[in-house]
Amino acid sequence: MCSSGGRTELTPEEERIMIRDIALTAEANTKEGDVFYLITQRWWQHWIEYVNQDQPVNANDGSSFAEIYDSFGSSMLKRPANIDNSDLIYDAASEDSSVSIEIHDTLLEGRDYVLLPQEVWKQLYLWYGGGPTLARKVISAGLSQTELAVEVYPLRLQLLEVGKGDRSTIRISKKETIGELHRRACEIFDLNLEQVCIWDYYGHRKHALMNDMDKTLDDANIQMDQDVNPERVLK
């Protein structure tokens, strides 16, 4: 069959097999630093049903991507429209193009969204278009730091330049270093790196000086929505 733009579309069976094969390779090679993409559960379920029409498929049963894809289908159901992730994000778009799109705070994997390896997302996006694109990185997790997890919710920190009363909200991975937080805070407030120190400003008081620039925010026990104070130091 052909799309309205003249591009030849694959059959549901061909889509299923291609995505299954891409997913198998991606799952076998996932490592820290890789990128996964959120896609709304509603659209994903429609696509799963579209490519697996001969038997019921439960996309929430904990099966791997390959297991979900690996069931035969026909072409009776209507092909999904463009990917639409609008139900995952806040309606109010930021006027600052440098601020990333914010997803709702209470989303659950398997209920509201699924996570797709980068290669799977790219192929689906090529076929269907839409968006918005919601990329998240794989980080090390667990007590031994040997497990892998997708950081769906990076830290949201409140930067407070107490002397001027300026504030800014940023998103940053808990695996980033204090040095990177220091750099970004100085960039946001137009401060000189060498003239600024960073305070853990928990409870709106100087809780601890964050001076180990190689330490991760996770190791420094920085929490979601915590206050951080970049302070000018007179030399």
Side-chain angles (χ1 to χ4, degrees), residues 139-199:
I139 62 172
S140 57
L143 293 176
S144 63
Q145 296 293 297
T146 57
E147 300 173 19
L148 296 177
V150 178
E151 190 177 29
V152 174
Y153 290 101
L155 290 174
R156 179 175 52 214
L157 301 181
Q158 312 299 324
L159 302 182
L160 307 174
E161 193 182 2
V162 177
K164 288 187 174 181
D166 293 339
R167 64 169 54 233
S168 180
T169 302
I170 66 167
R171 285 281 189 179
I172 186 170
S173 172
K174 63 183 180 180
K175 294 301 180 181
E176 286 287 6
T177 62
I178 290 173
E180 175 61 14
L181 174 61
H182 184 208
R183 185 195 68 77
R184 288 184 59 181
C186 289
E187 184 179 79
I188 289 169
F189 293 125
D190 194 22
L191 301 172
N192 188 322
L193 274 170
E194 297 180 356
Q195 297 177 351
V196 172
C197 63
I198 295 284
W199 287 92

Side-chain angles (χ1 to χ4, degrees), residues 19-142:
I19 292 297
R20 180 202 62 189
D21 291 346
I22 294 172
L24 277 170
T25 301
E27 283 187 334
N29 295 286
T30 299
K31 62 185 181 303
E32 186 174 3
D34 284 353
V35 177
F36 275 62
Y37 291 78
L38 281 75
I39 192 167
T40 177
Q41 176 69 32
R42 173 178 45 79
W43 190 94
W44 174 250
Q45 185 65 44
H46 186 172
W47 184 83
I48 288 293
E49 291 171 355
Y50 170 66
V51 298
N52 295 277
Q53 297 181 52
D54 286 348
Q55 61 183 22
V57 175
N58 182 1
N60 297 323
D61 64 1
S63 300
S64 69
F65 286 117
E67 289 171 335
I68 291 174
Y69 300 146
D70 200 16
S71 58
F72 292 96
S74 62
S75 56
M76 295 175 63
L77 280 181
K78 185 178 179 181
R79 190 172 188 268
N82 291 354
I83 297 168
D84 180 8
N85 281 335
S86 60
D87 54 343
L88 301 181
I89 65 174
Y90 286 103
D91 292 334
S94 171
E95 295 180 359
D96 184 352
S97 60
S98 67
V99 177
S100 61
I101 297 170
E102 283 287 313
I103 64 173
H104 291 290
D105 288 335
T106 57
L107 299 178
L108 292 177
E109 184 178 2
R111 184 194 71 183
D112 303 304
Y113 67 88
V114 294
L115 291 165
L116 303 180
Q118 184 174 42
E119 297 82 357
V120 172
W121 165 263
K122 283 183 175 180
Q123 189 59 61
L124 288 174
Y125 186 78
L126 180 64
W127 289 335
Y128 292 95
T133 299
L134 303 171
R136 296 294 187 270
K137 284 190 176 182
V138 175
I139 62 172
S140 57

Side-chain angles (χ1 to χ4, degrees), residues 200-217:
D200 175 348
Y201 206 57
Y202 181 79
H204 279 217
R205 66 180 182 84
K206 291 180 179 178
H207 181 68
L209 181 63
M210 301 167 67
N211 56 3
D212 185 347
M213 295 300 168
D214 295 325
K215 196 173 190 178
T216 68
L217 300 179

